[in-house]
Each structure stands twice: as structure tokens, then as C-alpha cells.
Amino acid sequence: RYGSPERALDKMVEYYERIGYLPAAFGNGHLVATGSLARKPGRDIPGSDLSGVVVMRSLADARDIAAKLDGAECTAVVGGGLLGIEMVRAFRERGNAVAYFMREDRFWPAMLDITAARMVEARLTERGVELRHGELIKEIRGQNGKVSSIVTTRDQEMPCQVVGYAIGAIPATGL
């Protein structure tokens, strides 16, 4: 026990300072929680800066995605968790073909056993989603600054106009 909430907060600040990471701004007895940002694909993926590579964290992101999906035929989603499956659902509901890339051997392995994961995946397959287990996107190709295709880690090129990434969050450290 630290005796008071203030003392507990002091201990937390001391800990983060000691490890060299301070995720929020502290001052005048106030904590400024800055939230998080969607993790974007790394620069190691060529083409990740093209128009049509999207993440969803805000209403503005959702509106941008909706605009990009208009006219798109083929889409891809990377991320085997809840936000990834929500992107898949949204893309399919708009009539887009979806290839769903999951690094692991099944959907959401940290939370679902194999039986439950396969039940979810069966529903996705019934709805026309192409599941790609243990496979990711290694390159995004474009024309005129927009996504036109993807290349997978199995060296397969696929047509694609929108690539949704749902690969986690990072701390927002700015104000």
C-alpha cells in the first residue's frame, strides 16, 4: 500500500522515469492522459504510404475508409483481433471482396481456443471472406499514388484497392 492515491501516482511516475518511458505528461498535480493511436504498418513494407492504406481509430478515419471503399472491388485486412474482424465485417457489408490476413494460425488465439476460433472463421467464410492464416502483406503496390495490388509473404500478388491495418495501438505521446 502506498497510503494515498497521490503516493501511488508518485510511485508510478518514478517507475516510468526509471525505465525511461513516460506515457503521459505530469505537472501541477494533474495527469494528462493522451490516449493511443492506431499502429500503422512499418516502413519496411514498401507502399505503406499509398492512398488506400488505412487504419481506424476515429470517426474521421471511418469516414475516410468509407470514401476509399466506394469503387473498390478487392480489399485486404491485416490483424487477427477484434478491430480486424470489425474492419472485415464493414468491408463485406459494403460489398467489397476481402482477403483477411492473420499472422497466427487462427482468429484471436490469445482469447479463443481453436474450436471457438474455427466457429468464427466458418461464419466469415460463409460470408465470402478469404482467410489467409500465417500470412501477411510484404509489399503494397500502387498506381498514381493509390493502392493497386499487394504482394503476400508467400509471394502471391493480388489485386487490391484498400488495405486495412488493425495491428494494435501505440501510446499517443504528443499534446
Side-chain angles (χ1 to χ4, degrees):
R1 260 188 184 286
Y2 297 115
S4 70
E6 294 81 12
R7 182 68 184 130
L9 183 58
D10 289 344
K11 284 294 201 186
M12 185 177 75
V13 171
E14 288 171 18
Y15 168 75
Y16 282 119
E17 286 175 340
R18 190 171 57 251
I19 65 170
Y21 174 76
L22 196 56
F26 293 89
N28 298 326
H30 299 284
L31 167 68
V32 179
T34 56
S36 63
L37 303 170
R39 182 180 304 277
K40 296 181 179 180
R43 293 180 188 195
D44 58 321
I45 299 176
S48 62
D49 59 342
L50 290 168
S51 177
V53 177
V54 299
V55 295
M56 186 166 52
R57 193 69 182 166
S58 68
L59 181 57
D61 292 338
R63 288 182 176 141
D64 179 57
I65 291 168
K68 285 178 171 51
L69 288 173
D70 288 339
E73 294 178 25
C74 303
T75 64
V77 174
V78 178
L82 288 179
L83 189 54
I85 200 169
E86 186 60 24
M87 272 188 165
V88 167
R89 183 197 59 78
F91 289 15
R92 281 300 299 141
E93 281 185 1
R94 293 181 67 91
N96 304 100
V98 180
Y100 187 20
F101 291 85
M102 292 171 269
R103 179 181 54 210
E104 306 295 337
D105 66 341
R106 65 181 186 270
F107 171 70
W108 211 18
M111 296 301 291
L112 299 178
D113 66 16
I114 194 151
T115 303
R118 294 298 184 240
M119 289 170 61
V120 171
E121 291 174 358
R123 297 296 297 265
L124 291 170
T125 302
E126 288 169 10
R127 288 170 168 75
V129 175
E130 180 185 351
L131 302 177
R132 309 293 290 242
H133 297 104
E135 186 175 13
L136 295 173
I137 296 171
K138 74 174 187 179
E139 182 181 351
I140 303 167
R141 295 183 176 163
Q143 291 180 328
N144 302 320
K146 296 181 180 180
V147 173
S148 61
S149 67
I150 57 173
V151 179
T152 74
T153 51
R154 294 183 183 153
D155 290 321
Q156 180 182 6
E157 185 171 4
M158 303 169 64
C160 183
Q161 293 82 42
V162 177
V163 181
Y165 276 88
I167 54 174
I170 58 173
T173 56
L175 295 177

Short mmCIF file of all heavy atoms in Angstrom, two decimals, residues 6 8 15 25 30 32 35 41 48 52 85 94 100 102 106 109 115 122 130 135 149 161 163 175:
data_model
loop_
_atom_site.label_atom_id
_atom_site.label_comp_id
_atom_site.label_asym_id
_atom_site.label_seq_id
_atom_site.Cartn_x
_atom_site.Cartn_y
_atom_site.Cartn_z
N GLU A 6 -2.18 9.88 -4.28
CA GLU A 6 -1.07 10.73 -4.72
C GLU A 6 0.26 9.97 -4.63
O GLU A 6 1.10 10.06 -5.52
CB GLU A 6 -0.99 12.02 -3.89
CG GLU A 6 -2.19 12.94 -4.09
CD GLU A 6 -3.41 12.54 -3.26
OE1 GLU A 6 -3.30 11.68 -2.36
OE2 GLU A 6 -4.49 13.07 -3.55
N ALA A 8 0.65 6.73 -4.71
CA ALA A 8 0.64 5.69 -5.74
C ALA A 8 1.02 6.28 -7.09
O ALA A 8 1.80 5.68 -7.85
CB ALA A 8 -0.74 5.03 -5.81
N TYR A 15 8.57 4.92 -11.43
CA TYR A 15 8.82 3.69 -12.18
C TYR A 15 9.05 4.01 -13.66
O TYR A 15 10.02 3.58 -14.27
CB TYR A 15 7.66 2.71 -12.02
CG TYR A 15 7.72 1.56 -12.99
CD1 TYR A 15 8.63 0.52 -12.81
CD2 TYR A 15 6.90 1.52 -14.11
CE1 TYR A 15 8.71 -0.53 -13.71
CE2 TYR A 15 6.97 0.48 -15.01
CZ TYR A 15 7.88 -0.54 -14.81
OH TYR A 15 7.96 -1.57 -15.71
N ALA A 25 1.89 13.30 -19.76
CA ALA A 25 2.53 14.48 -19.19
C ALA A 25 2.01 14.69 -17.77
O ALA A 25 0.82 14.61 -17.52
CB ALA A 25 2.20 15.70 -20.05
N HIS A 30 -1.58 17.25 -11.85
CA HIS A 30 -2.56 16.74 -12.81
C HIS A 30 -1.93 15.70 -13.72
O HIS A 30 -0.75 15.78 -14.05
CB HIS A 30 -3.12 17.87 -13.67
CG HIS A 30 -3.81 18.93 -12.90
ND1 HIS A 30 -5.07 18.76 -12.39
CD2 HIS A 30 -3.41 20.16 -12.51
CE1 HIS A 30 -5.43 19.85 -11.74
NE2 HIS A 30 -4.43 20.72 -11.79
N VAL A 32 -2.25 14.21 -17.45
CA VAL A 32 -2.83 14.44 -18.76
C VAL A 32 -2.73 13.14 -19.54
O VAL A 32 -1.64 12.76 -19.97
CB VAL A 32 -2.10 15.58 -19.51
CG1 VAL A 32 -2.71 15.79 -20.89
CG2 VAL A 32 -2.12 16.86 -18.69
N GLY A 35 -3.99 9.18 -24.43
CA GLY A 35 -4.64 8.14 -25.21
C GLY A 35 -3.68 7.34 -26.07
O GLY A 35 -2.50 7.20 -25.76
N PRO A 41 1.39 0.23 -40.46
CA PRO A 41 2.43 -0.67 -40.97
C PRO A 41 3.76 0.05 -41.00
O PRO A 41 3.82 1.26 -41.22
CB PRO A 41 1.95 -1.03 -42.37
CG PRO A 41 0.98 0.04 -42.74
CD PRO A 41 0.38 0.53 -41.46
N SER A 48 3.47 1.34 -48.02
CA SER A 48 2.57 1.56 -46.88
C SER A 48 2.11 3.01 -46.75
O SER A 48 1.19 3.30 -45.99
CB SER A 48 3.24 1.10 -45.57
OG SER A 48 4.41 1.85 -45.33
N GLY A 52 -5.07 4.64 -49.67
CA GLY A 52 -5.79 3.36 -49.66
C GLY A 52 -5.29 2.44 -48.57
O GLY A 52 -5.91 1.42 -48.31
N ILE A 85 -11.47 -7.93 -37.28
CA ILE A 85 -12.71 -8.58 -37.72
C ILE A 85 -13.82 -7.55 -37.94
O ILE A 85 -14.67 -7.72 -38.82
CB ILE A 85 -13.14 -9.70 -36.74
CG1 ILE A 85 -14.09 -10.67 -37.44
CG2 ILE A 85 -13.76 -9.14 -35.49
CD1 ILE A 85 -14.36 -11.92 -36.67
N ARG A 94 -20.22 -3.51 -47.24
CA ARG A 94 -20.25 -2.53 -48.34
C ARG A 94 -20.10 -3.22 -49.70
O ARG A 94 -20.05 -2.57 -50.73
CB ARG A 94 -19.16 -1.49 -48.14
CG ARG A 94 -19.43 -0.61 -46.93
CD ARG A 94 -18.38 0.43 -46.77
NE ARG A 94 -18.39 1.41 -47.85
CZ ARG A 94 -19.09 2.55 -47.83
NH1 ARG A 94 -19.83 2.84 -46.78
NH2 ARG A 94 -19.03 3.39 -48.84
N TYR A 100 -8.50 -11.68 -45.65
CA TYR A 100 -8.24 -11.39 -44.23
C TYR A 100 -6.95 -12.08 -43.82
O TYR A 100 -6.89 -13.31 -43.74
CB TYR A 100 -9.42 -11.88 -43.40
CG TYR A 100 -9.40 -11.52 -41.94
CD1 TYR A 100 -8.64 -10.48 -41.44
CD2 TYR A 100 -10.19 -12.23 -41.05
CE1 TYR A 100 -8.65 -10.17 -40.09
CE2 TYR A 100 -10.22 -11.92 -39.70
CZ TYR A 100 -9.44 -10.89 -39.23
OH TYR A 100 -9.45 -10.58 -37.90
N MET A 102 -4.02 -13.01 -41.23
CA MET A 102 -3.76 -13.19 -39.80
C MET A 102 -2.38 -13.81 -39.63
O MET A 102 -2.09 -14.85 -40.23
CB MET A 102 -4.82 -14.09 -39.18
CG MET A 102 -6.20 -13.46 -39.14
SD MET A 102 -7.49 -14.62 -38.65
CE MET A 102 -7.97 -15.25 -40.26
N ARG A 106 -4.93 -18.91 -36.49
CA ARG A 106 -6.38 -18.78 -36.33
C ARG A 106 -6.72 -17.39 -35.83
O ARG A 106 -5.86 -16.63 -35.40
CB ARG A 106 -6.92 -19.83 -35.37
CG ARG A 106 -6.41 -19.68 -33.94
CD ARG A 106 -7.00 -20.80 -33.07
NE ARG A 106 -6.69 -20.65 -31.68
CZ ARG A 106 -5.61 -21.15 -31.08
NH1 ARG A 106 -4.71 -21.82 -31.80
NH2 ARG A 106 -5.42 -20.99 -29.80
N PRO A 109 -6.09 -15.88 -31.26
CA PRO A 109 -5.63 -17.01 -30.44
C PRO A 109 -5.38 -16.67 -28.97
O PRO A 109 -5.42 -17.56 -28.13
CB PRO A 109 -4.34 -17.45 -31.13
CG PRO A 109 -3.88 -16.26 -31.87
CD PRO A 109 -5.12 -15.51 -32.28
N THR A 115 -11.44 -24.29 -31.19
CA THR A 115 -12.83 -24.58 -31.57
C THR A 115 -13.62 -23.30 -31.77
O THR A 115 -14.31 -23.13 -32.78
CB THR A 115 -13.50 -25.47 -30.50
OG1 THR A 115 -12.72 -26.66 -30.34
CG2 THR A 115 -14.92 -25.82 -30.88
N ALA A 122 -15.60 -19.95 -39.67
CA ALA A 122 -16.61 -20.57 -40.54
C ALA A 122 -17.66 -19.54 -40.96
O ALA A 122 -18.07 -19.50 -42.12
CB ALA A 122 -17.26 -21.75 -39.83
N GLU A 130 -12.06 -14.38 -47.59
CA GLU A 130 -10.94 -15.28 -47.86
C GLU A 130 -9.97 -15.19 -46.68
O GLU A 130 -9.38 -14.14 -46.43
CB GLU A 130 -10.24 -14.87 -49.14
CG GLU A 130 -9.07 -15.73 -49.49
CD GLU A 130 -8.32 -15.21 -50.71
OE1 GLU A 130 -8.79 -14.28 -51.39
OE2 GLU A 130 -7.22 -15.75 -50.96
N GLU A 135 0.01 -15.65 -42.80
CA GLU A 135 0.46 -14.93 -43.99
C GLU A 135 0.20 -13.44 -43.79
O GLU A 135 -0.81 -13.05 -43.21
CB GLU A 135 -0.34 -15.43 -45.21
CG GLU A 135 0.10 -14.89 -46.52
CD GLU A 135 -0.65 -15.52 -47.70
OE1 GLU A 135 -1.68 -16.20 -47.48
OE2 GLU A 135 -0.20 -15.32 -48.82
N SER A 149 -2.38 -3.19 -55.82
CA SER A 149 -2.22 -4.62 -55.53
C SER A 149 -1.35 -4.79 -54.30
O SER A 149 -0.71 -3.85 -53.83
CB SER A 149 -1.61 -5.36 -56.73
OG SER A 149 -0.27 -4.95 -56.95
N GLN A 161 -7.47 -2.55 -53.69
CA GLN A 161 -7.54 -1.09 -53.72
C GLN A 161 -7.51 -0.46 -52.33
O GLN A 161 -7.19 0.72 -52.20
CB GLN A 161 -8.81 -0.62 -54.45
CG GLN A 161 -8.83 -0.94 -55.93
CD GLN A 161 -9.27 -2.38 -56.21
OE1 GLN A 161 -10.21 -2.88 -55.61
NE2 GLN A 161 -8.59 -3.03 -57.14
N VAL A 163 -6.26 -1.37 -48.20
CA VAL A 163 -5.63 -2.27 -47.24
C VAL A 163 -5.87 -1.71 -45.85
O VAL A 163 -5.39 -0.61 -45.53
CB VAL A 163 -4.11 -2.41 -47.48
CG1 VAL A 163 -3.49 -3.38 -46.47
CG2 VAL A 163 -3.82 -2.84 -48.91
N LEU A 175 0.83 16.30 -27.37
CA LEU A 175 -0.36 17.04 -26.88
C LEU A 175 -0.99 17.84 -27.99
O LEU A 175 -0.43 18.26 -28.90
CB LEU A 175 0.04 17.97 -25.74
CG LEU A 175 0.54 17.27 -24.49
CD1 LEU A 175 0.96 18.29 -23.45
CD2 LEU A 175 -0.55 16.39 -23.92
#
